[in-house]
Amino acid sequence: MKINTVLMDETLGELPELVDFVAARPDLHLQLIEVMPEIRTDMSTRRVDLHKVRAWLTERASRVEQRSMHHRGVYHLENGATVELVDPVGNADFCANCHRVRVTHDGALKGCLNRLDDYVPTRGMDDEQMRAAFRHVVAERAP
């Protein structure tokens, strides 16, 4: 199971505790997600220096691997935690290799994490309508 956590400057101090929480539960995997200013322009001043986060993770890692598809670092920490750094802003491979359809917190389908105009609400749909909505999202996906 993945725990997705958006990195923000004001919560960065909680990272060690979160890593320890994941380390104590071998079935958990932590994903640290960079803020995407294209989505939340009000958060640009709250962005975290990813170089510092990478250095912190590398210092505690017994092994670091790089995912081939998105070229993201996966840190296997000495305490047993597995932490992946999701860095979409400066990573051109992030979008180029994406093949996902997402379900938002309110049940809408979404084809692109970095777009605001592709939500397809699904509340109240029957099975056939849901299939059609899914096909629509896939057909309109970018890139």
Side-chain angles (χ1 to χ4, degrees):
M1 181 182 302
K2 294 178 188 175
I3 294 180
N4 291 333
T5 303
V6 176
L7 288 169
M8 293 188 292
D9 204 36
E10 62 267 27
T11 60
L12 198 55
E14 298 171 16
L15 184 57
E17 185 179 349
L18 186 55
V19 166
D20 288 343
F21 179 83
V22 170
R25 292 155 183 86
D27 293 335
L28 292 182
H29 176 93
L30 179 60
Q31 288 198 145
L32 301 175
I33 303 170
E34 178 182 20
V35 168
M36 297 178 72
E38 299 85 355
I39 300 282
R40 296 286 308 269
T41 56
D42 62 318
M43 297 189 71
S44 61
T45 59
R46 299 163 71 183
R47 292 185 63 199
V48 169
D49 182 349
L50 291 187
H51 297 295
K52 289 180 183 178
V53 174
R54 279 189 191 92
W56 188 87
L57 291 169
T58 300
E59 189 176 290
R60 288 154 180 76
S62 57
R63 181 169 58 101
V64 179
E65 62 183 281
Q66 191 171 21
R67 287 178 125 219
S68 59
M69 184 184 298
H70 294 120
H71 299 277
R72 300 190 313 219
V74 179
Y75 301 82
H76 300 275
L77 304 188
E78 292 173 353
N79 69 358
T82 301
V83 181
E84 185 167 350
L85 188 57
V86 180
D87 55 348
V89 176
N91 183 348
D93 293 316
F94 184 82
C95 291
N97 293 307
C98 182
H99 60 276
R100 296 183 177 171
V101 171
R102 292 164 172 85
V103 179
T104 65
H105 70 283
D106 57 355
L109 296 178
K110 183 167 176 42
C112 181
L113 187 60
N114 204 21
R115 287 177 55 188
L116 296 174
D117 62 348
D118 68 337
Y119 289 92
V120 176
T122 61
R123 189 176 305 268
M125 288 185 173
D126 62 26
D127 288 351
E128 190 50 45
Q129 291 169 321
M130 184 67 80
R131 285 184 194 91
F134 186 83
R135 284 190 211 92
H136 172 77
V137 168
V138 170
E140 295 297 316
R141 262 192 33 69

